Amino acid sequence: MTPKRKRRLLLVLSLVAGLGVAAALGLTAFRENLLYFYEPSAVVAGDVGPGTRFRIGGLVEQGSVERDNEALTVTFRLADCAASVPVSYRGILPDLFREGQGIVAYGTLDGAGLFVADEVLAKHDENYMPPEVADALAQDNGETCMPANMTQS
Amino acid sequence: MYRWFHQLGSPPYFYRLARRLEPRLAIAALLLIAWGVYGGLVKAPPDYQQGEAFRIIYVHVPSAWLSLFVYTAMAVAGAVALVWRMKLAEVFVTAAAPLGAAFTFLALVTGSIWGKPMWGTWWVWDARLTSELILLFLYLGVIALNAAIEDRRSAARACALLALVGVINVPIVHYSVEWWNTLHQGPTITRFDRPAMAPEMLWPLLWCALGFNFLFFWLQLPRMRYELLQREARSRWVARELGSE
């Protein structure tokens, strides 16, 4: 390789390496802001105070969904493996909403620890299978914890 | 190997090789995509939770993979163009950008169409969706930069530099679902343990993805050839090639 090309190669490599370091530092600094949602245990631990708008993501606890007969209000508990938070929501729920489903709700925490949501989105997991397989799996283990990709922080 | 690399770098040699390869790439791409689409839309069972709507992944996932693959290839070609001043690498960068942008756009649109019934929203600003949108803007930036500079060689070099700078976004797109909590689900196939997908659904997806790869090269080679013809319009090999037709 000619010295000129060697110098250019070095320049290109150091450019990419420098950018990589800069991006890594930037992303680490903004880590919190890039979180799309908080987990219930983080909310229970007091990571976010009442009055701030944020998203909370977890599984809808089995048997916790209560629908108001008069209005569109629904209350349920969102849980990860460690804690759960009560949520109330008024509006139309996505098709995938059901007990045991991963959900992301957007709203505020009131003084009493109830999360008042004005938006509820269903989080789909990364598993794809035919219905028969899903039935067989459900008989094996009734999973109630959050899937691994939701519990990571 | 080294000799082959040098030969490939010569425009007339590449021109003839590309013309021979194109019909074969076309056949491979069409067969694979047809087979994958048939397997995915007709033979694969519906999903236990999403029903029939999951079938959009047979377009969404291959386009999303290609959007990352094309950008990475552009960055590698860009590095080669900057260091070795290889004409063919320069041409690769500028010719690939519109194709990459198309794949990115397709991934964003199909994802959005799927997101509305499944998530309950067309768009959210989570890390995966946002970084993929930035990827689209990077592609558009390369296209605009290429169009803004008159001289073909300096335009290509500027594009190569932009491609190289933007490549930092590729691992961010890929790992965003693991590094941060996102609404977008985690990786199904590119993970170390078993893919979290039933094999009768997975195989058509892999055929489609491979078919999309062939599709890219099928579209890319003629784009590179035309660019070479334009750049070298006054050289003898162009006259010979065009005269012989």
Side-chain angles (χ1 to χ4, degrees), chain A residues 10-152:
Chain A
L10 218 64
L11 264 173
V12 163
L13 288 179
S14 47
L15 172 77
V16 172
L19 279 168
V21 172
L25 288 176
L27 291 175
T28 326
F30 291 114
R31 201 174 174 88
E32 280 287 292
N33 297 345
L34 284 169
L35 282 188
Y36 189 65
F37 57 80
Y38 288 90
E39 290 141 18
S41 43
V43 175
V44 168
D47 282 7
V48 260
T52 34
R53 280 176 68 76
F54 65 97
R55 291 188 181 81
I56 176 172
L59 293 193
V60 180
E61 216 169 66
Q62 297 289 344
S64 72
V65 179
E66 279 169 37
R67 283 167 209 271
D68 190 328
N69 287 332
E70 320 269 284
L72 278 171
T73 312
V74 189
T75 59
F76 52 90
R77 296 185 73 84
L78 272 188
D80 57 13
C81 288
S84 75
V85 173
V87 179
S88 92
Y89 172 68
R90 206 191 147 119
I92 296 161
L93 292 164
D95 289 357
L96 283 182
F97 183 89
R98 69 197 74 177
E99 289 173 358
Q101 174 70 42
I103 289 291
V104 176
Y106 189 36
T108 49
L109 213 53
D110 73 1
L114 174 75
F115 188 85
V116 184
D118 45 39
E119 181 189 59
V120 168
L121 301 177
K123 178 171 165 49
H124 183 257
D125 63 23
E126 71 277 29
N127 299 306
Y128 296 83
M129 53 187 137
E132 310 88 71
V133 180
D135 288 346
L137 271 183
Q139 281 164 7
D140 282 356
N141 54 340
E143 212 179 335
T144 49
C145 265
M146 289 221 291
N149 68 313
M150 286 187 73
T151 49
Q152 277 170 2

Side-chain angles (χ1 to χ4, degrees), chain B residues 198-225:
Chain B
E200 63 267 41
M201 297 165 151
L202 178 62
W203 279 110
L205 181 58
L206 297 181
W207 295 131
C208 272
L210 196 62
F212 267 58
N213 251 300
F214 278 108
L215 176 69
F216 165 69
F217 284 107
W218 170 29
L219 298 174
Q220 170 76 348
L221 290 186
R223 293 177 57 80
M224 289 175 71
R225 278 200 295 124

